[in-house]
mmCIF file with all atom_site columns, all heavy atoms in Angstrom:
data_model
loop_
_atom_site.group_PDB
_atom_site.id
_atom_site.type_symbol
_atom_site.label_atom_id
_atom_site.label_alt_id
_atom_site.label_comp_id
_atom_site.label_asym_id
_atom_site.label_entity_id
_atom_site.label_seq_id
_atom_site.pdbx_PDB_ins_code
_atom_site.Cartn_x
_atom_site.Cartn_y
_atom_site.Cartn_z
_atom_site.occupancy
_atom_site.B_iso_or_equiv
_atom_site.pdbx_formal_charge
_atom_site.auth_seq_id
_atom_site.auth_comp_id
_atom_site.auth_asym_id
_atom_site.auth_atom_id
_atom_site.pdbx_PDB_model_num
ATOM 1   N N   . ALA A 1 20 ? -2.949 -37.026 -77.738 1.00 49.00 ? 22 ALA A N   1
ATOM 2   C CA  . ALA A 1 20 ? -3.242 -38.347 -78.282 1.00 49.00 ? 22 ALA A CA  1
ATOM 3   C C   . ALA A 1 20 ? -4.110 -39.166 -77.338 1.00 49.00 ? 22 ALA A C   1
ATOM 4   O O   . ALA A 1 20 ? -4.948 -39.928 -77.769 1.00 49.00 ? 22 ALA A O   1
ATOM 5   C CB  . ALA A 1 20 ? -1.934 -39.090 -78.574 1.00 49.00 ? 22 ALA A CB  1
ATOM 6   N N   . SER A 1 21 ? -3.924 -38.974 -76.020 1.00 45.00 ? 23 SER A N   1
ATOM 7   C CA  . SER A 1 21 ? -4.687 -39.766 -75.065 1.00 45.00 ? 23 SER A CA  1
ATOM 8   C C   . SER A 1 21 ? -6.171 -39.413 -75.101 1.00 45.00 ? 23 SER A C   1
ATOM 9   O O   . SER A 1 21 ? -7.000 -40.202 -74.716 1.00 45.00 ? 23 SER A O   1
ATOM 10  C CB  . SER A 1 21 ? -4.137 -39.576 -73.653 1.00 45.00 ? 23 SER A CB  1
ATOM 11  O OG  . SER A 1 21 ? -4.184 -38.222 -73.283 1.00 45.00 ? 23 SER A OG  1
ATOM 12  N N   . LEU A 1 22 ? -6.507 -38.230 -75.573 1.00 47.00 ? 24 LEU A N   1
ATOM 13  C CA  . LEU A 1 22 ? -7.904 -37.835 -75.655 1.00 47.00 ? 24 LEU A CA  1
ATOM 14  C C   . LEU A 1 22 ? -8.500 -38.112 -77.024 1.00 47.00 ? 24 LEU A C   1
ATOM 15  O O   . LEU A 1 22 ? -9.701 -38.177 -77.174 1.00 47.00 ? 24 LEU A O   1
ATOM 16  C CB  . LEU A 1 22 ? -8.046 -36.335 -75.344 1.00 47.00 ? 24 LEU A CB  1
ATOM 17  C CG  . LEU A 1 22 ? -7.628 -35.908 -73.944 1.00 47.00 ? 24 LEU A CG  1
ATOM 18  C CD1 . LEU A 1 22 ? -7.794 -34.406 -73.790 1.00 47.00 ? 24 LEU A CD1 1
ATOM 19  C CD2 . LEU A 1 22 ? -8.428 -36.637 -72.898 1.00 47.00 ? 24 LEU A CD2 1
ATOM 20  N N   . SER A 1 23 ? -7.668 -38.254 -78.024 1.00 47.00 ? 25 SER A N   1
ATOM 21  C CA  . SER A 1 23 ? -8.180 -38.432 -79.379 1.00 47.00 ? 25 SER A CA  1
ATOM 22  C C   . SER A 1 23 ? -8.365 -39.896 -79.745 1.00 47.00 ? 25 SER A C   1
ATOM 23  O O   . SER A 1 23 ? -8.756 -40.201 -80.859 1.00 47.00 ? 25 SER A O   1
ATOM 24  C CB  . SER A 1 23 ? -7.245 -37.753 -80.381 1.00 47.00 ? 25 SER A CB  1
ATOM 25  O OG  . SER A 1 23 ? -5.985 -38.397 -80.369 1.00 47.00 ? 25 SER A OG  1
ATOM 26  N N   . GLY A 1 24 ? -8.070 -40.804 -78.823 1.00 52.00 ? 26 GLY A N   1
ATOM 27  C CA  . GLY A 1 24 ? -8.309 -42.210 -79.084 1.00 52.00 ? 26 GLY A CA  1
ATOM 28  C C   . GLY A 1 24 ? -7.119 -42.956 -79.658 1.00 52.00 ? 26 GLY A C   1
ATOM 29  O O   . GLY A 1 24 ? -7.235 -44.117 -80.007 1.00 52.00 ? 26 GLY A O   1
ATOM 30  N N   . ASN A 1 25 ? -5.967 -42.319 -79.787 1.00 59.00 ? 27 ASN A N   1
ATOM 31  C CA  . ASN A 1 25 ? -4.788 -42.968 -80.349 1.00 59.00 ? 27 ASN A CA  1
ATOM 32  C C   . ASN A 1 25 ? -4.009 -43.782 -79.330 1.00 59.00 ? 27 ASN A C   1
ATOM 33  O O   . ASN A 1 25 ? -3.029 -44.415 -79.672 1.00 59.00 ? 27 ASN A O   1
ATOM 34  C CB  . ASN A 1 25 ? -3.863 -41.920 -80.987 1.00 59.00 ? 27 ASN A CB  1
ATOM 35  C CG  . ASN A 1 25 ? -4.516 -41.245 -82.164 1.00 59.00 ? 27 ASN A CG  1
ATOM 36  O OD1 . ASN A 1 25 ? -5.375 -41.816 -82.810 1.00 59.00 ? 27 ASN A OD1 1
ATOM 37  N ND2 . ASN A 1 25 ? -4.112 -40.024 -82.431 1.00 59.00 ? 27 ASN A ND2 1
ATOM 38  N N   . MET A 1 26 ? -4.415 -43.758 -78.086 1.00 71.00 ? 28 MET A N   1
ATOM 39  C CA  . MET A 1 26 ? -3.701 -44.478 -77.030 1.00 71.00 ? 28 MET A CA  1
ATOM 40  C C   . MET A 1 26 ? -4.486 -45.732 -76.681 1.00 71.00 ? 28 MET A C   1
ATOM 41  O O   . MET A 1 26 ? -5.478 -45.673 -75.974 1.00 71.00 ? 28 MET A O   1
ATOM 42  C CB  . MET A 1 26 ? -3.576 -43.605 -75.777 1.00 71.00 ? 28 MET A CB  1
ATOM 43  C CG  . MET A 1 26 ? -2.822 -42.366 -75.986 1.00 71.00 ? 28 MET A CG  1
ATOM 44  S SD  . MET A 1 26 ? -1.097 -42.742 -75.784 1.00 71.00 ? 28 MET A SD  1
ATOM 45  C CE  . MET A 1 26 ? -0.441 -41.205 -76.330 1.00 71.00 ? 28 MET A CE  1
ATOM 46  N N   . THR A 1 27 ? -4.011 -46.849 -77.160 1.00 89.00 ? 29 THR A N   1
ATOM 47  C CA  . THR A 1 27 ? -4.745 -48.083 -76.909 1.00 89.00 ? 29 THR A CA  1
ATOM 48  C C   . THR A 1 27 ? -4.061 -48.971 -75.881 1.00 89.00 ? 29 THR A C   1
ATOM 49  O O   . THR A 1 27 ? -4.624 -49.983 -75.490 1.00 89.00 ? 29 THR A O   1
ATOM 50  C CB  . THR A 1 27 ? -4.929 -48.874 -78.216 1.00 89.00 ? 29 THR A CB  1
ATOM 51  O OG1 . THR A 1 27 ? -3.629 -49.119 -78.772 1.00 89.00 ? 29 THR A OG1 1
ATOM 52  C CG2 . THR A 1 27 ? -5.781 -48.098 -79.210 1.00 89.00 ? 29 THR A CG2 1
ATOM 53  N N   . THR A 1 28 ? -2.864 -48.598 -75.456 1.00 95.00 ? 30 THR A N   1
ATOM 54  C CA  . THR A 1 28 ? -2.168 -49.412 -74.461 1.00 95.00 ? 30 THR A CA  1
ATOM 55  C C   . THR A 1 28 ? -1.714 -48.541 -73.307 1.00 95.00 ? 30 THR A C   1
ATOM 56  O O   . THR A 1 28 ? -1.506 -47.331 -73.459 1.00 95.00 ? 30 THR A O   1
ATOM 57  C CB  . THR A 1 28 ? -0.933 -50.110 -75.061 1.00 95.00 ? 30 THR A CB  1
ATOM 58  O OG1 . THR A 1 28 ? 0.061  -49.133 -75.383 1.00 95.00 ? 30 THR A OG1 1
ATOM 59  C CG2 . THR A 1 28 ? -1.285 -50.924 -76.294 1.00 95.00 ? 30 THR A CG2 1
ATOM 60  N N   . GLU A 1 29 ? -1.536 -49.169 -72.164 1.00 97.00 ? 31 GLU A N   1
ATOM 61  C CA  . GLU A 1 29 ? -1.012 -48.442 -71.003 1.00 97.00 ? 31 GLU A CA  1
ATOM 62  C C   . GLU A 1 29 ? 0.409  -47.973 -71.267 1.00 97.00 ? 31 GLU A C   1
ATOM 63  O O   . GLU A 1 29 ? 0.791  -46.877 -70.876 1.00 97.00 ? 31 GLU A O   1
ATOM 64  C CB  . GLU A 1 29 ? -1.079 -49.316 -69.747 1.00 97.00 ? 31 GLU A CB  1
ATOM 65  C CG  . GLU A 1 29 ? -0.620 -48.618 -68.497 1.00 97.00 ? 31 GLU A CG  1
ATOM 66  C CD  . GLU A 1 29 ? -1.466 -47.407 -68.098 1.00 97.00 ? 31 GLU A CD  1
ATOM 67  O OE1 . GLU A 1 29 ? -2.608 -47.265 -68.580 1.00 97.00 ? 31 GLU A OE1 1
ATOM 68  O OE2 . GLU A 1 29 ? -0.988 -46.596 -67.285 1.00 97.00 ? 31 GLU A OE2 1
ATOM 69  N N   . CYS A 1 30 ? 1.203  -48.790 -71.930 1.00 97.00 ? 32 CYS A N   1
ATOM 70  C CA  . CYS A 1 30 ? 2.577  -48.387 -72.247 1.00 97.00 ? 32 CYS A CA  1
ATOM 71  C C   . CYS A 1 30 ? 2.593  -47.134 -73.125 1.00 97.00 ? 32 CYS A C   1
ATOM 72  O O   . CYS A 1 30 ? 3.404  -46.226 -72.895 1.00 97.00 ? 32 CYS A O   1
ATOM 73  C CB  . CYS A 1 30 ? 3.327  -49.525 -72.930 1.00 97.00 ? 32 CYS A CB  1
ATOM 74  S SG  . CYS A 1 30 ? 3.803  -50.848 -71.787 1.00 97.00 ? 32 CYS A SG  1
ATOM 75  N N   . ALA A 1 31 ? 1.700  -47.059 -74.090 1.00 97.00 ? 33 ALA A N   1
ATOM 76  C CA  . ALA A 1 31 ? 1.630  -45.862 -74.940 1.00 97.00 ? 33 ALA A CA  1
ATOM 77  C C   . ALA A 1 31 ? 1.250  -44.641 -74.116 1.00 97.00 ? 33 ALA A C   1
ATOM 78  O O   . ALA A 1 31 ? 1.788  -43.540 -74.334 1.00 97.00 ? 33 ALA A O   1
ATOM 79  C CB  . ALA A 1 31 ? 0.631  -46.074 -76.074 1.00 97.00 ? 33 ALA A CB  1
ATOM 80  N N   . ARG A 1 32 ? 0.344  -44.818 -73.158 1.00 97.00 ? 34 ARG A N   1
ATOM 81  C CA  . ARG A 1 32 ? -0.054 -43.692 -72.301 1.00 97.00 ? 34 ARG A CA  1
ATOM 82  C C   . ARG A 1 32 ? 1.092  -43.245 -71.392 1.00 97.00 ? 34 ARG A C   1
ATOM 83  O O   . ARG A 1 32 ? 1.310  -42.043 -71.201 1.00 97.00 ? 34 ARG A O   1
ATOM 84  C CB  . ARG A 1 32 ? -1.296 -44.063 -71.484 1.00 97.00 ? 34 ARG A CB  1
ATOM 85  C CG  . ARG A 1 32 ? -2.567 -44.147 -72.335 1.00 97.00 ? 34 ARG A CG  1
ATOM 86  C CD  . ARG A 1 32 ? -3.819 -44.372 -71.495 1.00 97.00 ? 34 ARG A CD  1
ATOM 87  N NE  . ARG A 1 32 ? -3.900 -45.712 -70.953 1.00 97.00 ? 34 ARG A NE  1
ATOM 88  C CZ  . ARG A 1 32 ? -4.430 -46.760 -71.577 1.00 97.00 ? 34 ARG A CZ  1
ATOM 89  N NH1 . ARG A 1 32 ? -4.933 -46.621 -72.781 1.00 97.00 ? 34 ARG A NH1 1
ATOM 90  N NH2 . ARG A 1 32 ? -4.467 -47.938 -70.995 1.00 97.00 ? 34 ARG A NH2 1
ATOM 91  N N   . ILE A 1 33 ? 1.848  -44.194 -70.845 1.00 97.00 ? 35 ILE A N   1
ATOM 92  C CA  . ILE A 1 33 ? 2.982  -43.834 -69.989 1.00 97.00 ? 35 ILE A CA  1
ATOM 93  C C   . ILE A 1 33 ? 4.057  -43.124 -70.815 1.00 97.00 ? 35 ILE A C   1
ATOM 94  O O   . ILE A 1 33 ? 4.602  -42.098 -70.391 1.00 97.00 ? 35 ILE A O   1
ATOM 95  C CB  . ILE A 1 33 ? 3.564  -45.068 -69.275 1.00 97.00 ? 35 ILE A CB  1
ATOM 96  C CG1 . ILE A 1 33 ? 2.533  -45.705 -68.337 1.00 97.00 ? 35 ILE A CG1 1
ATOM 97  C CG2 . ILE A 1 33 ? 4.827  -44.686 -68.497 1.00 97.00 ? 35 ILE A CG2 1
ATOM 98  C CD1 . ILE A 1 33 ? 2.941  -47.079 -67.813 1.00 97.00 ? 35 ILE A CD1 1
ATOM 99  N N   . ALA A 1 34 ? 4.358  -43.648 -71.993 1.00 97.00 ? 36 ALA A N   1
ATOM 100 C CA  . ALA A 1 34 ? 5.353  -43.014 -72.870 1.00 97.00 ? 36 ALA A CA  1
ATOM 101 C C   . ALA A 1 34 ? 4.914  -41.597 -73.235 1.00 97.00 ? 36 ALA A C   1
ATOM 102 O O   . ALA A 1 34 ? 5.734  -40.670 -73.281 1.00 97.00 ? 36 ALA A O   1
ATOM 103 C CB  . ALA A 1 34 ? 5.572  -43.859 -74.120 1.00 97.00 ? 36 ALA A CB  1
ATOM 104 N N   . ASP A 1 35 ? 3.627  -41.414 -73.461 1.00 96.00 ? 37 ASP A N   1
ATOM 105 C CA  . ASP A 1 35 ? 3.087  -40.085 -73.773 1.00 96.00 ? 37 ASP A CA  1
ATOM 106 C C   . ASP A 1 35 ? 3.280  -39.133 -72.584 1.00 96.00 ? 37 ASP A C   1
ATOM 107 O O   . ASP A 1 35 ? 3.656  -37.969 -72.767 1.00 96.00 ? 37 ASP A O   1
ATOM 108 C CB  . ASP A 1 35 ? 1.597  -40.201 -74.119 1.00 96.00 ? 37 ASP A CB  1
ATOM 109 C CG  . ASP A 1 35 ? 0.967  -38.873 -74.483 1.00 96.00 ? 37 ASP A CG  1
ATOM 110 O OD1 . ASP A 1 35 ? 1.422  -38.243 -75.458 1.00 96.00 ? 37 ASP A OD1 1
ATOM 111 O OD2 . ASP A 1 35 ? 0.020  -38.453 -73.786 1.00 96.00 ? 37 ASP A OD2 1
ATOM 112 N N   . GLN A 1 36 ? 3.061  -39.630 -71.382 1.00 96.00 ? 38 GLN A N   1
ATOM 113 C CA  . GLN A 1 36 ? 3.265  -38.806 -70.190 1.00 96.00 ? 38 GLN A CA  1
ATOM 114 C C   . GLN A 1 36 ? 4.731  -38.395 -70.050 1.00 96.00 ? 38 GLN A C   1
ATOM 115 O O   . GLN A 1 36 ? 5.027  -37.249 -69.704 1.00 96.00 ? 38 GLN A O   1
ATOM 116 C CB  . GLN A 1 36 ? 2.800  -39.543 -68.933 1.00 96.00 ? 38 GLN A CB  1
ATOM 117 C CG  . GLN A 1 36 ? 1.298  -39.676 -68.823 1.00 96.00 ? 38 GLN A CG  1
ATOM 118 C CD  . GLN A 1 36 ? 0.619  -38.319 -68.729 1.00 96.00 ? 38 GLN A CD  1
ATOM 119 O OE1 . GLN A 1 36 ? 0.902  -37.536 -67.825 1.00 96.00 ? 38 GLN A OE1 1
ATOM 120 N NE2 . GLN A 1 36 ? -0.246 -38.028 -69.673 1.00 96.00 ? 38 GLN A NE2 1
#
Side-chain angles (χ1 to χ4, degrees):
S23 59
L24 297 179
S25 65
N27 295 333
M28 299 275 171
T29 57
T30 68
E31 183 63 17
C32 285
R34 289 186 288 273
I35 297 168
D37 181 60
Q38 289 298 302

